[in-house]
Amino acid sequence: MLFISKIIIKGIYYIMFSLNKSKKIYLLGIGGASMSALAIILKEMGHQVAGTDVRYGEYYNTLTERGILVEIGGATDMINDADLIVSSLAVKKDNADYKKAEQSGKPILSRTELLQILDRSYPFVVAVSGTHGKSTTTFLISSIMKNAGLRATYHIGASSEKFPSGGAYTGREYFVSEACEYRDSFLSFTPSIAVVLNIEKDHPDYFASKEQLESSFVNFCKNVRKDGTVVVSTKVSNLIKRELKKANREDVKVITIGDGGDYYYKDVVTNKKTEFTVVDGKGDRERKFCLNLKGEHNVLNALFTIAVCDVLKLDEDIVKSTLANTCGLRRRYEKIANYNGADVILDYAHHPSEIKKVISTAKESTNGRLLVCFQPHTYSRTTALFDEFVDSFDGASEVIITKTYKSREEKNGKTAFDLFLALGEKMEKVSYFDEFLPIVKYLKDNLQKGDVLLILGAGDIDDVGKLIKSTK
């Protein structure tokens, strides 16, 4: 009976969004990257939007400036006036706000269910998945489509100058969204174009094995609409092609990206911008592009973007101009300050592969010392990838570790201090701080002209950067 009720509720709200009826919608966990983007989308659709979160996050000002009321520290009786309540995955069912939502008697949807409803209400959907690079690739595709004047809705898991909250609504023809694999959230999508950037071990608190992880990505690709397209890395394309064939999905076109694929890149030259050549797999067409982002991993993100834009048949001049002139996302190799002659750069890297790429990118642009301040993100990830984390800081002159950002978890398994001890056995300069203020003082006392400081992590480690930036 509960299952039937849930289906009925989803049907009701599918109709609601299709007819663009203005409703009062209350979001639990509104300050998260995805939830804040959805809040803006709903607001720009014409709905009345409010929500709550535990603290004043980076999206608070953007949301309130758009006329969205954000209650900090707990939901008030306003939640009882809502027509619909949407809850973030980060809000547990024993949370006081969730209990208050249940007591209100109003329909409650998860973020995943809301994305599913949006997905079903658009004639064309682009969904970008992968362990790394989702936000940047979704952002690049969205920026090009916006510059091309398409009537689209954009859901990006990070903010930027072009998309301050990560979300925007300009029409109902296309829905472009980041598609996260955690807890199989991306299986809510039925994309016209499914992008798989990479598949790598992550989220060990949910994915118990490589087979489970790969199976989820396969199912994501099987969800592609009739005569749709999968744009996939050559590193996993054989898996995807094989499983699509087993599922009798010959209608799906598969475009492979990377060495030996339908699209690959060559001749990368990095100065102030990154120039590269895109080659069709058969070698019968070469095109030169310029990217306003650093790092060869971003060249690969751009390559996926170009392939998607080709499928959409977008004007190549707009594609080239956007890639050449669009600044990146916040907390994605974002230079936020220069302190005492040292560049201070924020990056969201919280996986060993991402840390390696960011350090490699930084090494290309400095002859001075490279200092890395890192906050591990979740105990389960630190435990499952511990050896990989220990090996990911090669090339750094000094590493500073701070306490684990536990996110949704309780303390269990390997900690940030364990990582500090292991790094100390292979590196000369490693330090550990439990709190941010001592880190800031240490850095201000030790940063020198010509240094580069990388502040890495997906938690609240960006506060270190903000404190350094605010220093006169």
Side-chain angles (χ1 to χ4, degrees):
M1 189 68 181
L2 178 64
F3 177 71
I4 294 173
S5 299
K6 200 94 170 182
I7 291 175
I8 292 171
I9 289 170
K10 288 181 183 179
I12 290 170
Y13 283 96
Y14 172 80
I15 294 170
M16 182 188 86
F17 284 113
S18 295
L19 297 178
N20 289 318
K21 291 180 179 177
S22 178
K23 295 290 180 182
K24 295 179 181 178
I25 304 175
Y26 195 93
L27 277 64
L28 303 178
I30 195 171
S34 174
M35 291 291 281
S36 62
L38 289 169
I40 293 295
I41 290 168
L42 294 170
K43 176 73 174 178
E44 292 181 351
M45 281 181 166
H47 301 291
Q48 298 177 56
V49 182
T52 185
D53 215 303
V54 294
R55 71 185 188 112
Y56 294 94
E58 63 176 295
Y59 298 101
Y60 176 82
N61 289 338
T62 301
L63 293 171
T64 54
E65 285 167 5
R66 299 290 187 94
I68 296 173
L69 177 64
V70 180
E71 300 182 307
I72 300 299
T76 65
D77 289 340
M78 178 184 292
I79 197 170
N80 296 319
D81 295 329
D83 299 305
L84 171 66
I85 298 167
V86 181
S87 180
S88 164
L89 195 62
V91 178
K92 296 180 180 179
K93 292 192 176 182
D94 60 357
N95 176 280
D97 289 333
Y98 195 92
K99 288 181 177 179
K100 186 175 285 188
E102 288 182 314
Q103 291 165 3
S104 74
K106 302 301 172 65
I108 303 172
L109 296 181
S110 69
R111 181 192 73 96
T112 299
E113 289 166 340
L114 175 59
L115 284 170
Q116 185 176 40
I117 290 166
L118 290 170
D119 168 90
R120 301 305 191 275
S121 65
Y122 282 78
F124 201 100
V125 175
V126 180
V128 181
S129 75
T131 310
H132 320 292
K134 292 185 294 292
S135 296
T136 297
T137 306
T138 307
F139 165 67
L140 291 174
I141 294 169
S142 300
S143 297
I144 293 166
M145 291 177 69
K146 191 173 184 181
N147 288 346
L150 298 185
R151 291 172 50 79
T153 300
Y154 308 104
H155 171 246
I156 308 162
S159 62
S160 64
E161 186 176 333
K162 188 180 287 286
F163 300 98
S165 76
Y169 172 80
T170 62
R172 278 293 184 84
E173 293 179 10
Y174 299 88
F175 182 42
V176 184
S177 181
E178 186 169 326
C180 180
E181 73 275 18
Y182 184 59
R183 294 194 177 277
D184 286 335
S185 174
F186 62 173
L187 299 186
S188 62
F189 291 96
T190 57
S192 311
I193 301 176
V195 178
V196 181
L197 300 167
N198 41 63
I199 303 175
E200 193 171 348
K201 182 180 179 181
D202 199 13
H203 301 300
D205 57 325
Y206 181 72
F207 294 109
S209 66
K210 177 183 177 182
E211 290 73 24
Q212 182 192 354
L213 176 64
E214 289 180 344
S215 176
S216 289
F217 275 94
V218 166
N219 288 333
F220 170 67
C221 293
K222 287 180 181 177
N223 278 353
V224 168
R225 298 178 185 185
K226 183 173 172 53
D227 299 322
T229 303
V230 172
V231 183
V232 59
S233 166
T234 52
K235 293 182 179 179
V236 293
S237 57
N238 287 340
L239 167 70
I240 301 302
K241 286 180 177 179
R242 182 181 69 243
E243 295 302 320
L244 285 173
K245 186 176 181 180
K246 285 183 183 178
N248 297 315
R249 292 303 309 271
E250 288 83 1
D251 61 296
V252 176
K253 181 180 181 181
V254 178
I255 298 173
T256 55
I257 308 296
D259 293 342
D262 298 317
Y263 288 73
Y264 65 92
Y265 65 84
K266 66 176 186 177
D267 302 335
V268 178
V269 178
T270 303
N271 292 305
K272 288 186 177 180
K273 296 186 180 183
T274 305
E275 298 176 357
F276 61 100
T277 300
V278 173
V279 186
D280 285 355
K282 295 179 181 178
D284 54 2
R285 182 169 66 151
E286 294 189 1
R287 293 175 287 171
K288 293 187 180 298
F289 287 85
C290 180
L291 181 64
N292 196 23
L293 300 175
K294 291 187 175 182
E296 199 155 337
H297 58 290
N298 279 322
V299 175
L300 188 57
N301 292 335
L303 190 61
F304 276 91
T305 298
I306 292 163
V308 170
C309 291
D310 284 349
V311 174
L312 294 170
K313 295 182 170 56
L314 298 183
D315 188 308
E316 190 171 297
D317 289 338
I318 294 175
V319 176
K320 287 185 173 181
S321 174
T322 303
L323 292 177
N325 295 294
T326 298
C327 296
L329 293 165
R330 297 193 178 107
R331 294 185 74 173
R332 302 303 191 278
Y333 208 82
E334 178 191 13
K335 180 180 174 181
I336 60 164
N338 184 283
Y339 182 82
N340 200 30
D343 286 340
V344 180
I345 295 169
L346 279 183
D347 197 277
Y348 204 67
H350 56 285
H351 185 283
S353 296
E354 296 165 351
I355 295 169
K356 287 180 180 179
K357 289 172 183 175
V358 173
I359 288 177
S360 175
T361 300
K363 291 286 285 184
E364 291 175 2
S365 58
T366 182
N367 294 318
R369 297 187 306 162
L370 177 60
L371 290 79
V372 178
C373 179
F374 176 61
Q375 179 187 47
H377 191 267
T378 73
Y379 298 106
S380 61
R381 181 181 286 111
T382 306
T383 302
L385 301 173
F386 190 77
D387 292 340
E388 291 91 335
F389 275 116
V390 173
D391 292 335
S392 65
F393 295 93
D394 292 350
S397 308
E398 180 176 351
V399 177
I400 300 160
I401 302 293
T402 189
K403 64 183 178 182
T404 304
Y405 187 83
K406 69 177 186 176
S407 185
R408 53 195 168 260
E409 298 179 348
E410 296 303 320
K411 187 174 181 179
N412 183 32
K414 295 286 189 180
T415 67
F417 194 75
D418 292 324
L419 179 59
F420 157 69
L421 292 175
L423 286 170
E425 294 179 2
K426 63 176 294 185
M427 297 185 68
E428 281 190 23
K429 298 207 71 176
V430 186
S431 51
Y432 177 87
F433 295 88
D434 240 356
E435 305 294 337
F436 290 166
L437 287 178
I439 295 176
V440 173
K441 182 180 186 308
Y442 175 81
L443 289 170
K444 286 163 63 176
D445 289 344
N446 288 277
L447 284 174
Q448 304 170 8
K449 184 176 182 180
D451 288 349
V452 171
L453 169 63
L454 297 176
I455 301 175
L456 308 182
D460 56 359
I461 188 66
D462 58 315
D463 287 347
V464 171
K466 292 173 186 175
L467 289 166
I468 293 174
K469 184 179 180 180
S470 66
T471 303
K472 299 295 184 183

